[in-house]
Amino acid sequence: VANIAAVFEEVSRGHVDYGVVPLENSTDGRVADTLDMFVRLPSLKICSEVRLHVHHNLLSNGEQPEIHRIYSKPQALSQCRNWLSKNVPQATLHEVTSTTAAAQLAKTNPGAAAIASREAAVQYGLRILFSNIEDSLHNETRFAVIGTHDSGKTGNDKTAVMFMIPHSPGSLADILSLFKLNKVNLTWIESFPYPAAKGEYVFFLDFDGHQEDAKVKKTLTALEPQCEKLFILGSFPVAPLTE
């Protein structure tokens, strides 16, 4: 499908069993489109996570000095911005919906290039001018596998929640103290503007342990009355980093 919102809609409508959406990147941080869709469709669950070491390549059938336009999705352009400014300073950057769309444009437009995968180069008959152009050698994206059910315990799990709290001094500190009190280790925290109310925020947390574990269960029970809204987005196995 064309974008992150469409992945959520396909899963929500039962057209597919699972969807895969980017959650956060080690260079750019949170992926806002994904967090926005969890706010809009909070009934969907994170069933699993995938961690990928992400590499980007500059694809074109022209030569480096001939490139005047570079196409890619916003995240790829951002993750390569320093390399691009040093190596193709004459080129303007253009956001498109996907790296596949970028490769199609690079193939049909003289003077154009795409930031995309090696597979895209093969599929669209493009040359790889430069490989691994990401600014960070440790560029990693964590993806959420979304579905409609919870995952069982494996013994090495994380749990994700989304919540809103009163807009008052110390309310977030009170929430976080519950995790300290119950010795539950936080692994991720993000705030995100709540679309339906100006100045209000939704918070996302994930932390070690399965929601069926005793200390996680105790923490969630204590958390609920302190939140205006609380959604358990799911428990899922901790994923290793994959090349």
Side-chain angles (χ1 to χ4, degrees), residues 112-189:
I115 298 174
S117 65
R118 290 180 173 271
E119 291 79 3
V122 173
Q123 183 175 354
Y124 293 100
L126 293 163
R127 291 166 51 216
I128 299 176
L129 298 186
F130 298 96
S131 300
N132 302 339
I133 66 170
E134 61 276 3
D135 292 329
S136 171
L137 295 175
H138 308 290
N139 189 36
E140 173 193 333
T141 298
R142 182 164 72 112
F143 295 85
V145 179
I146 56 173
T148 56
H149 67 83
D150 289 306
S151 295
K153 289 175 64 172
T154 68
N156 185 27
D157 303 292
K158 288 196 288 190
T159 297
V161 298
M162 176 178 71
F163 60 89
M164 290 185 67
I165 51 179
H167 196 56
S168 59
S171 57
L172 181 58
D174 291 342
I175 293 292
L176 297 180
S177 69
L178 297 174
F179 292 88
K180 180 180 180 181
L181 180 67
N182 291 298
K183 295 182 171 57
V184 175
N185 183 49
L186 294 175
T187 52
W188 183 57
I189 180 168

Side-chain angles (χ1 to χ4, degrees), residues 50-95:
V50 179
R51 294 172 56 208
L52 289 182
H53 198 169
V54 177
H55 298 291
H56 297 300
N57 308 280
L58 189 69
L59 314 182
S60 181
N61 283 331
E63 299 299 331
Q64 182 180 1
E66 301 168 352
I67 296 171
H68 296 289
R69 294 179 306 283
I70 298 175
Y71 298 97
S72 198
K73 61 183 181 181
Q75 294 88 349
L77 291 170
S78 178
Q79 290 162 28
C80 304
R81 57 184 174 265
N82 293 333
W83 188 96
L84 294 170
S85 66
K86 290 177 183 177
N87 293 277
V88 278
Q90 75 279 8
T92 56
L93 308 182
H94 301 269
E95 296 181 359

Side-chain angles (χ1 to χ4, degrees), residues 100-121:
T100 298
Q104 291 173 318
L105 288 166
K107 181 179 181 180
T108 56
N109 290 276
I115 298 174
S117 65
R118 290 180 173 271
E119 291 79 3

